Amino acid sequence: MYTRRQMNEALNLYHQCGSVTETIQKLGYPARRTLYIWIDDEDTPREPRKTPTANAVSSPRYASLEVKTEALRRCFEEGERVESVAEDIGYTKSSIFAWQKKYLRGGAVALMNKKNIPPRKPPKGSSDSEREVAELKAQLFEMQLEIDILKETINVIKKDPDADQTALNNREKAVIVGALKNRYSLPLLLKKMFLAKSCYYYQENALAKPDKYAQLRERIKEIFKESKERYGYRRIHGQLVKQGCILSEKVVRRLMRQERLRVEIRRRRRYNSYQGETATVANVIERNFHADRPNQKWLTDITEFAIPAGKIYLSPLVDCFDGLLPSWTIGTRADATLVNTMLDNAIAQLNTGEHPIVHSDRGCHYQWPGWIERMDKAQLISSMSKKGCSPDNAACEGFFGRLKNEMFYNQDWTGVSIEAFSHTLNTYLAWYNEKRIKTSLGNMSPKEYRQSLGLAL
């Protein structure tokens, strides 16, 4: 059945590893009985089995932790031959190599087998000192187990070390158990993690399967990076749908949570331009921010950006039809020039017969003669919020919130000049009009939405 070459290959491998089982596992042949026959019929006599020394006769069946560590030190630090050390301590070469594998995986704790684990209760008839030592060993073992579980909680599943172990899901518990099962017994770990044995094996099989979302994870990371970490799961889901990927928002949210893709948000004090009443203007909008056509309702306000190089102010107009920004100005002073220039640029874009409502807060800029003169000349309708009532201009405030969360907050602006920051801000506003998708517009940007309706920009 087997050629001479196969027989010699099996015998050579057997002499190298010294194990019939390992030889058959590596080669896949022959049967155990056949290999024994080849060994007996071999012309070259085998090395005679060494008789155990006096130490070997007295050696216990399970080696202690001290014996194991000393054997590993002699073999792999001092360079003694494994055969000599095995003969001296009374254990086989395979045992020493097995101890080495366990030590490389989990350190000295992994060398503790069931016989090394201190009993929870001291044996009957023990003295008080023996009982106390046994209790201390048991406590030490429990503490080491707790420490290892906490380490795996941090390293493997990236959880807070103070997290309640019972609050972890079964998948996370299975990951921890799988990382520690080479150091501790499986029943002990399952009991400690409050995990049923059937649940552990189910999760183990599930973890062994290839990740069906591997390509999707990479695409989500790319979209998140392209948006400069501004898109949450809803907009990333919308972007994927635009690309022809059909899936649930919940899947995107779960994958982003697993990949730790999170949009950082930080709140800061808002700029306030109120300086008292100089004119009485009614609230025409009355929180109705819906518009049936472009250039019907415009919202405006001023917001401040404070960076180490100085302060920058933004004055935009927001169209209630689709959120498009018809005009904006950026400057280092919140003065009349900032808002009047913005209004002049917007009026220049109006078609004949268009006279939108311009809604603002009661800031002084919108009560000065220059602003009022421009409004009257273009026949624009003025509308103002109540004093100190930000919900009256909620749509504009919402735009400022998105702008700062996506572009300004959680960024280090140290060393950035005012000119460079103004350029970055201007680039973002252009991107907001042309490319940033809005779920309310069917995952299209304001510019794309108007183009889909055949409206001129």
Side-chain angles (χ1 to χ4, degrees):
M1 294 177 59
Y2 299 98
T3 63
R4 186 64 186 179
R5 179 181 178 183
Q6 291 176 318
M7 183 185 302
N8 292 336
E9 185 178 2
L11 291 173
N12 291 334
L13 181 59
Y14 166 74
H15 288 305
Q16 291 177 7
C17 64
S19 170
V20 172
T21 302
E22 187 174 349
T23 301
I24 296 174
Q25 288 178 347
K26 289 185 176 180
L27 296 177
Y29 71 89
R32 184 178 295 272
R33 181 177 178 81
T34 303
L35 182 55
Y36 278 124
I37 294 175
W38 290 354
I39 295 171
D40 291 337
D41 295 341
E42 191 177 9
D43 295 333
T44 305
R46 288 176 293 162
E47 182 181 352
R49 179 172 295 182
K50 299 178 181 179
T51 57
T53 61
N55 291 337
V57 174
S58 60
S59 298
R61 180 178 179 184
Y62 297 99
S64 64
L65 179 61
E66 292 76 9
V67 172
K68 294 178 180 179
T69 54
E70 178 64 18
L72 295 178
R73 184 187 64 80
R74 292 173 59 184
C75 292
F76 304 105
E77 290 185 13
E78 297 183 357
E80 294 188 37
R81 295 178 66 251
V82 177
E83 293 83 354
S84 302
V85 176
E87 180 183 2
D88 186 44
I89 64 176
Y91 293 94
T92 62
K93 295 187 300 181
S94 58
S95 297
I96 296 179
F97 286 118
W99 299 342
Q100 182 196 24
K101 290 181 181 179
K102 289 183 178 180
Y103 183 81
L104 293 176
R105 287 180 182 176
V109 178
L111 297 178
M112 297 177 62
N113 51 38
K114 293 182 179 180
K115 293 297 181 179
N116 298 132
I117 297 176
R120 294 180 178 270
K121 295 181 179 179
K124 294 181 179 180
S126 302
S127 62
D128 293 341
S129 60
E130 291 176 341
R131 288 176 179 273
E132 184 177 355
V133 171
E135 290 176 358
L136 289 175
K137 287 184 178 180
Q139 292 177 7
L140 181 62
F141 179 78
E142 289 291 335
M143 289 175 62
Q144 184 63 47
L145 176 58
E146 291 286 349
I147 292 172
D148 289 338
I149 290 177
L150 291 177
K151 285 182 179 180
E152 297 304 327
T153 303
I154 299 173
N155 298 331
V156 179
I157 61 175
K158 309 300 181 185
K159 286 281 187 178
D160 192 312
D162 295 330
D164 184 7
Q165 295 172 10
T166 59
L168 301 175
N169 58 46
N170 289 343
R171 188 183 189 88
E172 294 170 340
K173 293 179 181 179
V175 172
I176 296 175
V177 172
L180 296 175
K181 67 180 181 180
N182 291 327
R183 308 183 195 179
Y184 302 96
S185 65
L186 183 60
L188 177 62
L189 289 171
L190 295 178
K191 183 178 180 181
K192 198 71 177 178
M193 299 301 299
F194 304 97
L195 182 65
K197 189 175 182 179
S198 58
C199 290
Y200 167 70
Y201 283 115
Y202 172 83
Q203 294 296 339
E204 188 180 43
N205 293 332
L207 290 169
K209 295 179 181 178
D211 183 10
K212 63 179 181 180
Y213 294 119
Q215 295 182 351
L216 182 60
R217 290 177 191 272
E218 295 302 320
R219 185 60 192 135
I220 289 175
K221 290 179 183 178
E222 291 176 3
I223 297 175
F224 188 72
K225 186 176 180 180
E226 289 172 0
S227 69
K228 300 186 184 301
E229 302 183 359
R230 297 164 180 163
Y231 279 2
Y233 74 92
R234 292 185 181 88
R235 285 182 175 79
I236 289 183
H237 172 262
Q239 193 74 8
L240 290 171
V241 171
K242 286 179 64 176
Q243 297 174 2
C245 182
I246 307 301
L247 74 165
S248 170
E249 279 188 356
K250 295 181 179 179
V251 174
V252 179
R253 181 173 58 186
R254 184 178 74 248
L255 295 179
M256 290 186 67
R257 184 171 61 248
Q258 292 174 357
E259 297 298 328
R260 306 177 72 81
L261 303 178
R262 183 174 179 271
V263 179
E264 298 295 337
I265 298 176
R266 185 170 59 182
R267 305 292 182 184
R268 288 189 178 181
R269 182 179 62 84
R270 186 174 62 89
Y271 166 75
N272 188 352
S273 62
Y274 181 75
Q275 294 183 3
E277 297 286 341
T278 61
T280 302
V281 181
N283 186 348
V284 181
I285 292 288
E286 292 184 347
R287 303 189 186 182
N288 180 12
F289 303 112
H290 173 74
D292 298 323
R293 63 182 186 277
N295 301 329
Q296 183 182 18
K297 296 178 182 179
W298 285 349
L299 310 176
T300 188
D301 200 351
I302 297 177
T303 188
E304 176 188 272
F305 299 88
I307 65 174
K311 292 184 178 181
I312 299 93
Y313 298 91
L314 169 68
S315 175
L317 274 175
V318 181
D319 196 321
C320 289
F321 176 66
D322 52 7
L324 183 79
L325 307 178
S327 175
W328 67 81
T329 52
I330 302 171
T332 56
R333 296 181 61 186
D335 54 11
T337 303
L338 186 75
V339 296
N340 292 342
T341 304
M342 176 267 303
L343 185 61
D344 289 338
N345 295 336
I347 292 174
Q349 302 176 28
L350 292 176
N351 299 319
T352 304
E354 291 182 334
H355 307 288
I357 300 172
V358 181
H359 181 79
S360 66
D361 61 8
R362 294 191 174 273
C364 59
H365 315 84
Y366 313 114
Q367 302 184 55
W368 286 340
W371 177 271
I372 296 174
E373 180 182 349
R374 286 169 171 79
M375 293 283 292
D376 293 340
K377 185 177 180 180
Q379 300 181 14
L380 306 182
I381 303 171
S382 181
S383 174
M384 284 188 177
S385 306
K386 293 180 181 179
K387 176 184 175 181
C389 188
S390 58
D392 284 352
N393 200 11
C396 190
E397 299 290 349
F399 164 71
F400 287 154
R402 290 188 294 273
L403 163 65
K404 293 192 175 182
N405 286 335
E406 295 180 357
M407 174 260 172
F408 182 63
Y409 294 151
N410 304 299
Q411 300 288 333
D412 185 9
W413 300 105
T414 304
V416 179
S417 65
I418 292 178
E419 293 76 13
F421 180 86
S422 299
H423 176 74
T424 302
L425 177 58
N426 193 69
T427 302
Y428 171 86
L429 296 175
W431 174 78
Y432 185 91
N433 272 347
E434 298 172 3
K435 294 185 178 181
R436 184 186 184 277
I437 63 175
K438 299 183 68 175
T439 55
S440 59
L441 301 180
N443 296 321
M444 290 185 285
S445 67
K447 182 178 179 180
E448 292 172 341
Y449 181 67
R450 293 197 181 188
Q451 290 175 343
S452 68
L453 297 178
L455 300 174
L457 295 176

